[in-house]
Amino acid sequence: RTHSLTLPLSHACPGAPTTDVDGAVSSFTELNDPVMGGQSVGTWEVNGTYGIFDGEVKDVQSLSAPGFIKAAADGTFNDASAAIDGDLVLRVRTTTPEYKGFRVAFASGTTSPSYACAGGGGIPFSRGCFKSPAFDVPSGDDFATVSIPFNMFSDKWSSATGEQTTTCADDSDVCPTADKLAKIQRVEVWAEGA
């Protein structure tokens, strides 16, 4: 089944620092599942005032593992350190609200953001890519606000499943810090698992 997630290019949330992400959203690139036998395919496109992340996620039967697609943008992002005790706020809509595999990640403090976001802390030198648990997107034609507390992110997660192997609640060493939020290097949106 094809899954689609749409994100506006910029938005403001009352009471939260605002960030114009127009340049970042238009520079996202999509990556299909490169794992042996991976059959997941997707696209990222900018359509007027929003980005569309669209594709089909297929599990890798030969590995008994979930497939994935992701869209990523590298760059210099605004300092978000003031939001450390708050949430990452997304404005999204989807044509598949029943899909339960959307996630978001950001990299900071790593030499290679793409490597860190491929390894999830499970291979040497791959710490620093903080991934959320899967989140739900409500149904409807209007953009909805999805808030993910920063204390729900971890930089230790399975590159095979996307699931966190150590949660922030279990070990503060895996949590994002204000210093990390001040220097975000990469942002990724994932669809993981069929």
Side-chain angles (χ1 to χ4, degrees):
R1 169 119 196 219
T2 300
H3 307 295
S4 180
L5 186 68
T6 306
L7 301 98
L9 292 180
S10 62
H11 71 277
C13 298
T18 59
T19 301
D20 180 0
V21 294
D22 184 30
V25 171
S26 61
S27 66
F28 271 77
T29 56
E30 194 277 334
L31 173 70
N32 292 325
D33 184 353
V35 177
M36 295 179 298
Q39 298 176 355
S40 300
V41 294
T43 60
W44 173 265
E45 68 177 280
V46 175
N47 184 349
T49 59
Y50 51 87
I52 301 171
F53 179 44
D54 192 38
E56 184 175 7
V57 179
K58 293 183 179 181
D59 289 343
V60 182
Q61 299 302 320
S62 64
L63 300 176
S64 298
F68 72 88
I69 56 175
K70 69 178 178 178
D74 292 303
T76 302
F77 297 88
N78 289 351
D79 180 342
S81 59
I84 187 62
D85 293 323
D87 303 336
L88 175 71
V89 178
L90 302 171
R91 296 281 299 152
V92 294
R93 67 180 180 203
T94 184
T95 57
T96 55
E98 68 281 359
Y99 182 65
K100 304 299 181 195
F102 291 120
R103 302 173 196 265
V104 64
F106 63 90
S108 178
T110 179
T111 304
S112 175
S114 62
Y115 177 79
C117 289
I123 56 177
F125 310 108
S126 67
R127 299 282 306 271
C129 184
F130 299 89
K131 191 182 244 187
S132 75
F135 58 86
D136 293 333
V137 178
S139 62
D141 293 333
D142 295 329
F143 284 100
T145 299
V146 173
S147 297
I148 307 165
F150 281 114
N151 65 9
M152 297 295 293
F153 285 79
S154 170
D155 75 344
K156 281 199 166 180
W157 43 271
S158 169
S159 60
T161 67
E163 298 294 328
Q164 295 178 356
T165 56
T166 306
T167 67
C168 187
D170 291 336
D171 183 353
S172 63
D173 184 56
V174 304
C175 305
T177 62
D179 287 343
K180 298 291 186 192
L181 292 179
K183 298 175 185 162
I184 295 173
Q185 302 162 283
R186 181 181 184 94
V187 176
E188 297 185 340
V189 180
W190 291 68
E192 199 160 21

